[in-house]
Amino acid sequence: MIKIFKAELYKIVHLTSMKTFILLTILAFGGGAFVPVLFSATSVKNYLFETSDIFSFIIIIMVVSLTILDYNAKTMKNIVSSGVSLPSIYLARMLSIFVMVAVTLLVAMVAGGIGAYIKLGGMGEGDVTVGTGISLVESYFLQLIYLIGIACITHLVTTLFRNTVLSLVVSLGLSICGNMINALIEERLKIDLSGYSLPDVLDSIDKMSLSSDFFLHFGVVTGGILIICSLLGIFVFNKRSLA
């Protein structure tokens, strides 16, 4: 699986479309600070929090594009014929996508931070403290945990439908209806998913530390999503024709 993972990661990193996507991310989040309609923050920290709620939609578009690539190019049979097991191929491709999610999020936050810093002529209202730095680190890792869950679901959906438009519609729909889905799961399975939405997470960042119960709970919920979606994805990947 490690060889497939390295091969998938190498392929993604060298894709012209991926380089373009990263460039557009820099322009969107860094340049967004200079658009009056989009920028109302009074500090770099607030700007990063305000722009983060749209990032799940960006990640969905990226994951669908990367997952559908081999199906559209009709190269999946070549990957399978390498002799590596289908579960290993599915998991390696998913892990390579997770790496790109982490990189893209970091690029977006750095570009947004620099843009907001230049626009405000500094960090903005309030003194810069160790707590501010910790909050930004927490923000990155909490968003990453959340976005990995989104990416895992999107990867499963795209593997199932293997159609760009349909995969985007379904994945975006699931993201938009996330709160309703959470409520339904809580009611049926008696599982507490309170706070499992990006706005709720960001609102709670100032009250948390890396060792908080919420952080642990958030990670456990995402871990459950990863396990369920990975098993379903492997099942679908095994059963469906690769043609």
Side-chain angles (χ1 to χ4, degrees), residues 12 27 60 102 104 107 174 196 205 209 235 243:
I12 291 174
L27 293 175
I60 286 172
T104 306
V107 168
L174 289 173
Y196 194 73
I205 282 177
S209 66
F235 176 79

Side-chain angles (χ1 to χ4, degrees), residues 133-155:
I134 292 175
S135 292
L136 292 175
V137 172
E138 288 179 347
S139 173
Y140 174 79
F141 283 106
L142 284 169
Q143 288 182 71
L144 182 59
I145 292 172
Y146 178 83
L147 292 170
I148 282 177
I150 294 291
C152 190
I153 295 171
T154 304
H155 186 56

Side-chain angles (χ1 to χ4, degrees), residues 186-225:
E186 286 182 332
E187 179 182 350
R188 297 291 183 181
L189 301 181
K190 308 302 181 183
I191 299 175
D192 181 18
L193 296 178
S194 58
Y196 194 73
S197 67
L198 196 53
D200 290 339
V201 169
L202 296 178
D203 287 341
S204 303
I205 282 177
D206 286 331
K207 303 174 184 177
M208 291 185 287
S209 66
L210 293 173
S211 60
S212 69
D213 291 338
F214 182 87
F215 205 118
L216 177 62
H217 170 75
F218 194 62
V220 169
V221 172
T222 302
I225 291 175

Side-chain angles (χ1 to χ4, degrees), residues 29-89:
F29 285 84
F34 299 93
V35 180
V37 176
L38 301 177
F39 189 87
S40 59
T42 55
S43 69
V44 171
K45 178 180 173 181
N46 287 341
Y47 176 67
L48 293 177
F49 289 178
E50 287 177 1
T51 55
S52 60
D53 58 353
I54 66 170
F55 204 74
S56 58
F57 300 111
I58 295 175
I59 288 300
I60 286 172
I61 295 172
M62 184 184 80
V63 173
V64 170
S65 301
L66 293 176
T67 304
I68 206 75
L69 192 65
D70 288 312
Y71 298 117
N72 286 345
K74 306 295 183 183
T75 57
M76 185 56 72
K77 281 187 174 181
N78 296 333
I79 298 175
V80 173
S81 64
S82 64
V84 181
S85 67
L86 293 180
S88 294
I89 293 173

Side-chain angles (χ1 to χ4, degrees), residues 12-26:
I12 291 174
V13 168
H14 289 81
L15 283 173
T16 302
S17 58
M18 192 65 229
K19 294 175 182 178
T20 303
F21 190 89
I22 293 293
L23 178 59
L24 291 175
T25 299
I26 294 173

Side-chain angles (χ1 to χ4, degrees), residues 99-118:
V99 171
M100 295 315 300
V101 169
V103 171
T104 306
L105 175 61
L106 181 60
V107 168
M109 290 189 67
V110 171
I114 293 174
Y117 184 88
I118 295 173

